[in-house]
Amino acid sequence: SAILSSYLLGERLNLLGKLGCMLSLVGSTVMVIHAPEDEEVTTLDEMTSKLKEPGFLAYAAILLALCFLLIIYLAPRYGQSNILVYLTICSVIGAFSVSSVKGLGIAIKGFFAGRPVLQHPLTWILVITLVASVTTQINYLNKSLDIFNTSLVFPIYYVLFTTIVITTSIILFKEWVAMTVIDIIGTVCGFLTIILGVFLLHAFKDMDVSLGNLPQVLQNEQQVPVTRDDKNILIEVDNSSIAPEDKPKVFML
């Protein structure tokens, strides 16, 4: 998306943005590689028991509280100026949409297997959750695209969404129990790499830095004049040995 937006929409990423995009992809790849396998859930009853776990209920409550805080308080105040507000809403809601898709996939398999999935209340709960979450995601993603650069929106959204989805999967299916120390370290390193990539994408988005003008930018940084305070000027003038004795000295205060 970032590449296509530069060709089709005339938007571009600077050199630091491209590095941030690359780091985001590398970090997400590392997280996916070290993420444990999904626990096999084959029936809606098993999915219901997973959703009723206290750990997932607490996690879902935290996500909902964060989402309401973003929508009600932060979005009206900072959504127009900070790209992370709208994209965080989309990513947090994505945890519910992905979980709903997972459950509906089980329901569809059960339907073709002849099970009474349409009579199961979880099926309709998942449908309502999926429709509400996808609608909210599309709404705030379009708001973000209307305001901010497309080449920034999609990489950051991809990173946040991937992180939330992997975290949700680990908590919902308790995959962290089977994770080895190497996988835990790899997941943390991948997450830190993602944070660095998002920082480069967001913090330096307004700088005009490319491979072509990089030497000039570095040279300009080195040639920045040093501003001296009045104390140093007074000392230099007072200790000057080249000024004639018969010529009055002028002190600038």
Side-chain angles (χ1 to χ4, degrees):
S1 299
I3 295 173
L4 290 177
S5 64
S6 63
Y7 287 102
L8 300 179
L9 303 178
E11 301 172 348
R12 71 179 184 86
L13 283 173
N14 58 22
L15 180 61
L16 296 176
K18 293 176 182 178
L19 291 176
C21 192
M22 184 179 300
L23 286 174
S24 300
L25 289 172
V26 171
S28 300
T29 303
V30 171
M31 285 191 69
V32 171
I33 289 175
H34 289 280
E37 295 290 335
D38 286 346
E39 181 180 342
E40 188 65 24
V41 179
T42 57
T43 64
L44 289 177
D45 291 332
E46 293 179 1
M47 187 70 180
T48 303
S49 63
K50 293 292 183 184
L51 294 174
K52 289 182 178 180
E53 291 287 338
F56 180 76
L57 291 177
Y59 175 73
I62 293 174
L63 290 184
L64 284 176
L66 177 61
C67 188
F68 283 123
L69 175 65
L70 289 168
I71 293 175
I72 297 174
Y73 181 78
L74 295 178
R77 292 169 174 80
Y78 307 105
Q80 301 288 327
S81 58
N82 195 323
I83 190 174
L84 295 177
V85 175
Y86 289 153
L87 295 184
T88 303
I89 295 174
C90 297
S91 302
V92 171
I93 294 296
F96 298 99
S97 63
V98 170
S99 302
S100 301
V101 169
K102 174 82 171 180
L104 288 176
I106 297 173
I108 293 173
K109 290 181 181 179
F111 177 79
F112 286 107
R115 298 172 187 166
V117 295
L118 296 179
Q119 287 75 30
H120 202 291
L122 181 62
T123 302
W124 303 107
I125 294 175
L126 294 176
V127 170
I128 295 173
T129 303
L130 180 61
V131 172
S133 58
V134 169
T135 303
T136 306
Q137 284 180 271
I138 293 175
N139 177 40
Y140 285 98
L141 182 59
N142 285 331
K143 285 185 178 182
S144 182
L145 290 172
D146 288 339
I147 300 171
F148 303 104
N149 195 327
T150 307
S151 58
L152 289 173
V153 170
F154 278 107
I156 295 176
Y157 177 52
Y158 163 77
V159 165
L160 295 177
F161 182 81
T162 302
T163 304
I164 291 292
V165 168
I166 291 178
T167 305
T168 303
S169 180
I170 291 175
I171 294 176
L172 178 60
F173 299 105
K174 294 184 178 180
E175 298 166 349
W176 53 271
V177 177
M179 292 180 69
T180 63
V181 176
I182 295 177
D183 289 333
I184 294 174
I185 295 175
T187 303
V188 173
C189 291
F191 182 68
L192 294 177
T193 305
I194 287 174
I195 292 177
L196 179 60
V198 173
F199 175 77
L200 289 176
L201 273 168
H202 184 57
F204 303 103
K205 62 181 183 298
D206 297 325
M207 292 182 61
D208 185 16
V209 182
S210 62
L211 285 176
N213 66 356
L214 183 59
Q216 181 180 357
V217 172
L218 295 176
Q219 185 178 4
N220 292 338
E221 290 292 333
Q222 294 174 357
Q223 294 178 353
V224 174
V226 179
T227 303
R228 299 178 298 174
D229 55 15
D230 294 335
K231 181 180 71 174
N232 292 331
I233 297 175
L234 284 173
I235 293 174
E236 289 180 2
V237 173
D238 187 53
N239 294 334
S240 177
S241 60
I242 61 175
E245 292 295 328
D246 55 348
K247 196 170 184 179
K249 299 177 181 179
V250 180
F251 295 90
M252 303 298 295
L253 296 178

